[in-house]
Amino acid sequence: NSEISLFETNIRFMGSLLACYALTGDVMFRDKAAQLGERMLPAFQTETGIPHSLINLHTGTSKNYGWASSGCSILSEIGTMHLEFTYLSDITNNPVFKSKVENVRKVLKSLDKPRGLYPNYIHPRTGKWGQRAGHSTLVWREIDTAFNSRISTGAIVNTDYIDPLRFLQDVKNIVLEHVRSVMKRHGSIKVNTVFNGEFVADHMSLGGLGDSFYEYLLKAWIQSGKEDIEAREMYDEAIAAITEHMIKTSPGKLVYVSDLKYDRLEHKMGHLACFAGGMFALGAKTVENELSDKYMNIAAGLTNTCHESYDRSVTKLGPEAFHFIEGNEARSLKNGEKYYILRPETFESYFVMWRLTKDPKYREWGWEAVQALEKHCRVPGGFTGLNNVYLADSAKDDVQQSYFFAETLKYLYLLFSDDDLISLDDWVFNSEAHVLPIKGNPLYRPASPL
C-alpha cells in the first residue's frame, strides 16, 4: 500500500517473471505476471493512455513525479514496457496489455519531433511534449524578505511553461505593469531577473530519461521475429536524428553521445548512455544496408569511450558522468559525478560487441572490470559502490544494487560464455537484462488461440 515506480516494477519484477516462465515453462510465473500486469493497468488510465510514473498496486491510484516537468511522464519509462506487455499478451491470450503499449507508441509516433528527436517529457493529459494542460496561472506574487530596506520583493512563479521564450513573452505585460506601478509610487526600482529551476522541454538524451525508449524500439522489432516494421522504422529515424545532432567526436578523437538542451550540446556523457554502443551495433548487424558500417563505427567508438572513462580512473571503474573538454576528456569534473554504483551499461556493450565482432579486446576490457570490482568493490557482505573512482581508497556507499546481479554480473558472465548460451538469435534482453524469447524460439510458449 505505497507508491512504486511503474517502470522499475515492469523491468525488474515483470521482466523476471516472464523470463522465468520462458526458461522453465512453469505456469506459476506466467500467472503471477498476469496478476501483476492487471495491478499495473490503472496507471494507463489517463486522458491519452500515456501512463503515470508512480502507482499504488493496492489501491490502483497513480500519479507522476512532482519534479518531472510539471507533472509529465518520462520518455524512457513510458517507452520501456513494450517487450514485457506484448509478450504477456501473447502468453495469456489477453490483448489488453499489448493494446496499452501500442497506444503509447501511437501517441509518440503522431507527435512532431523537433529535428527528428524525442524530448524526454510528455504530458499524459495533453499528449504534448512537456506541456501542462489548462490555463496559465501567471501572476505577480509578493514574497516576504528578511531585508527591511527592501520596498517589496516579488516573483512570477512558473508552473505551466517549459519553453523559456514563450514564458518571457507571456510574463512581459505582468512585469511591465508592476514596474510602472512601483515607478509611480516610488520613482525608482531595482529589478533582478532570476530563473530558479530548469526549463526542460527541449531536453533530449540517450542517457537517463531517454535511453531505453530507443532500445525497446529496436528490440520490439527483433522480438516480433522482425515483423513489427513500425518499430524498426521509428528506431531507424530516431537513430539517424541522434547521429546527426548528438553524436560527436572530441578533440582527442573520442566518440560520445551528448545530451541536447535547448539546442545546446552539453559535451557530457552519462554512464547510463554507455549501453548505446551495444544498441548501435545490434541495430547495424540486424539490418545490413549502406548505413551499417557507419553505425558499427559509432558503436565501436562509443564503447571505446566508455572504456576510456574506466581506464582513466585510479580504480579502473567508470564515473557516473564524464566530460569532453580538451585536455581533460572522458573524466568527471564534478564531485557529484565521480561515484560508481555497480552500473552495468558499459559491460552490456562489451558483451554485445564481443558477440557481434569477436574482437578479443572486449573480453580483455571485461576482465579488467572484473579485477577492479574484486579489488575495490568486494566487501565481506558482498559488493559496494564507490564514492570516488579517482581515489584508490575511496569511501564505499555500502549499497549492493539489485541490478548488480540482474545485469552487471550477468553481462560479464555471458561475455566469457559460448554464443549458444542465451543466443542473440533467440533472445532479447529487457532493460534489466531479463531474457525474453524471440518469436520462433521454441521457448516463446504462446498461448493457444481461444
Side-chain angles (χ1 to χ4, degrees):
N1 189 19
S2 62
E3 293 171 346
I4 60 174
S5 165
L6 185 77
F7 163 75
E8 296 290 358
T9 300
N10 181 63
I11 64 172
R12 298 183 188 221
F13 293 95
M14 179 65 77
S16 60
L17 289 169
L18 294 173
C20 286
Y21 174 64
L23 291 166
T24 68
D26 188 334
V27 297
M28 176 193 69
F29 296 113
R30 179 200 64 194
D31 295 345
K32 288 295 182 183
Q35 292 172 22
L36 177 60
E38 293 284 353
R39 295 291 185 99
M40 296 166 69
L41 288 177
F44 291 84
Q45 293 175 2
T46 65
E47 287 85 343
T48 60
I50 296 292
H52 287 139
S53 296
L54 297 169
I55 186 167
N56 184 315
L57 296 179
H58 179 68
T59 65
T61 58
S62 65
K63 66 178 186 180
N64 275 337
Y65 295 107
W67 53 263
S69 188
S70 298
C72 282
S73 298
I74 298 166
L75 179 67
S76 62
E77 297 193 346
I78 66 172
T80 308
M81 301 190 72
H82 207 100
L83 299 183
E84 295 82 2
F85 269 42
T86 295
Y87 185 49
L88 183 58
S89 280
D90 285 351
I91 62 176
T92 61
N93 251 337
N94 185 347
V96 66
F97 305 110
K98 186 175 183 179
S99 71
K100 296 299 184 184
V101 292
E102 286 182 335
N103 178 69
V104 170
R105 184 193 290 177
K106 179 182 176 181
V107 173
L108 291 173
K109 185 180 180 182
S110 70
L111 292 173
D112 290 332
K113 287 86 180 173
R115 290 176 296 176
L117 298 167
Y118 289 78
N120 287 342
Y121 296 100
I122 181 172
H123 205 286
R125 185 180 304 168
T126 65
K128 303 297 183 183
W129 299 123
Q131 294 179 356
R132 173 186 281 267
H135 301 290
S136 171
T137 56
L138 294 176
V139 293
W140 184 272
R141 300 181 186 179
E142 297 297 328
I143 298 175
D144 291 336
T145 175
F147 300 97
N148 294 326
S149 61
R150 297 275 178 92
I151 296 172
S152 66
T153 300
I156 297 176
V157 179
N158 169 29
T159 61
D160 295 297
Y161 289 77
I162 43 74
D163 177 16
L165 179 59
R166 188 164 63 89
F167 173 71
L168 291 173
Q169 289 171 338
D170 286 2
V171 303
K172 178 179 70 173
N173 290 334
I174 299 173
V175 173
L176 285 175
E177 181 181 349
H178 186 75
V179 168
R180 291 185 183 121
S181 175
V182 172
M183 289 293 291
K184 283 182 180 179
R185 285 181 287 141
H186 304 288
S188 64
I189 186 173
K190 179 179 181 181
V191 178
N192 290 326
T193 301
V194 178
F195 289 115
N196 182 19
E198 184 176 31
F199 292 94
V200 291
D202 295 327
H203 182 193
M204 291 81 163
S205 175
L206 206 55
L209 305 179
D211 48 13
S212 47
F213 163 69
Y214 305 98
E215 172 193 2
Y216 269 45
L217 288 177
L218 173 62
K219 290 180 177 178
W221 172 72
I222 295 172
Q223 180 193 40
S224 72
K226 301 183 179 179
E227 295 177 357
D228 187 353
I229 303 300
E230 179 181 64
R232 179 73 206 208
E233 290 175 346
M234 290 175 68
Y235 170 79
D236 286 338
E237 291 167 2
I239 290 304
I242 288 169
T243 299
E244 179 180 357
H245 299 293
M246 296 166 64
I247 298 291
K248 298 297 174 183
T249 301
S250 73
K253 307 303 182 186
L254 294 178
V255 178
Y256 62 99
V257 57
S258 173
D259 278 15
L260 189 63
K261 288 187 177 181
Y262 355 108
D263 295 332
R264 294 181 61 184
L265 290 167
E266 291 206 305
H267 299 292
K268 179 178 89 169
M269 186 171 174
H271 194 295
L272 288 169
C274 283
F275 85 100
M279 180 184 72
F280 267 87
L282 194 60
K285 286 294 187 179
T286 47
V287 168
E288 297 284 349
N289 57 29
E290 69 280 2
L291 294 172
S292 296
D293 288 344
K294 176 182 179 179
Y295 287 155
M296 278 304 297
N297 287 335
I298 291 173
L302 291 173
T303 307
N304 175 70
T305 297
C306 290
H307 172 255
E308 286 295 318
S309 77
Y310 277 60
D311 199 48
R312 297 181 186 194
S313 77
V314 172
T315 60
K316 304 303 179 184
L317 293 167
E320 182 70 4
F322 40 96
H323 297 253
F324 297 88
I325 297 173
E326 190 168 4
N328 197 6
E329 297 182 353
R331 287 180 56 88
S332 192
L333 302 179
K334 301 177 182 178
N335 286 331
E337 301 171 342
K338 295 179 179 179
Y339 59 89
Y340 174 69
I341 51 175
L342 304 175
R343 288 206 186 276
E345 290 78 18
T346 298
F347 313 143
E348 176 182 356
S349 286
Y350 291 173
F351 159 67
V352 176
M353 292 298 290
W354 162 254
R355 285 281 180 97
L356 298 179
T357 71
K358 291 298 181 287
D359 188 327
K361 71 183 178 186
Y362 297 114
R363 280 186 163 176
E364 294 168 5
W365 292 351
W367 188 243
E368 290 172 2
V370 170
Q371 292 176 305
L373 287 166
E374 280 286 319
K375 180 177 180 180
H376 296 285
C377 297
R378 182 184 277 279
V379 291
F383 286 82
T384 175
L386 304 177
N387 291 345
N388 189 335
V389 297
Y390 301 106
L391 298 177
D393 58 349
S394 169
K396 312 292 195 291
D397 68 9
D398 196 29
V399 177
Q400 181 171 265
Q401 305 284 347
S402 66
Y403 57 69
F404 180 67
F405 295 99
E407 300 183 75
T408 307
L409 294 181
K410 186 183 296 175
Y411 283 128
L412 287 170
Y413 181 81
L414 290 172
L415 175 61
F416 297 99
S417 301
D418 294 335
D419 286 5
D420 59 0
L421 180 62
I422 313 298
S423 169
L424 295 180
D425 294 328
D426 297 322
W427 302 90
V428 290
F429 291 80
N430 87 336
S431 195
E432 194 76 4
H434 296 304
V435 294
L436 301 175
I438 295 171
K439 276 189 175 178
N441 181 341
L443 300 184
Y444 196 86
R445 308 180 195 277
S448 301
L450 296 175

